[in-house]
Amino acid sequence: MNSFAATLVIRERLRQHLLPHHEPWRPQGEYAGGCLCDGCGERITSAQASYDVDFAPGVTPQSLRLLRECLEIWLCECQSRPLS
């Protein structure tokens, strides 16, 4: 998925409250495939950098798995758009 399409998907998931609009508590990078990216929905391969992002207690969901590019898009979108 290209970054423009990923941005649109992430914006929509933020709008629908499927992705949290909170600062990450603990992002941890790794190369581990097999899961779906919670940002764009694409399958993560073992050759792609991804991040497990944990949040403080009380935030739903408690964690996300994001491709590196989707993590950057998500962080940018959270900073540029007010919580609604």
Side-chain angles (χ1 to χ4, degrees):
M1 180 177 292
N2 67 47
S3 63
F4 179 74
T7 300
L8 293 178
V9 171
I10 290 168
R11 282 181 184 167
E12 182 61 18
R13 289 182 178 186
L14 281 166
R15 189 187 70 73
Q16 293 178 358
H17 303 284
L18 298 173
L19 290 175
H21 202 287
H22 298 278
E23 287 290 319
W25 178 44
R26 183 179 57 200
Q28 182 175 352
E30 64 182 0
Y31 286 88
C35 302
L36 296 179
C37 174
D38 290 314
C40 68
E42 296 280 315
R43 182 153 309 277
I44 300 170
T45 70
S46 59
Q48 294 173 298
S50 64
Y51 288 83
D52 282 327
V53 181
D54 294 329
F55 297 95
V59 175
T60 303
Q62 283 277 208
S63 65
L64 297 174
R65 169 68 61 94
L66 297 166
L67 288 163
R68 179 175 44 206
E69 183 177 14
C70 290
L71 174 68
E72 293 168 5
I73 293 168
W74 173 73
L75 289 171
C76 187
E77 289 297 314
C78 285
Q79 292 174 355
S80 67
R81 295 185 178 279
L83 182 60
S84 56

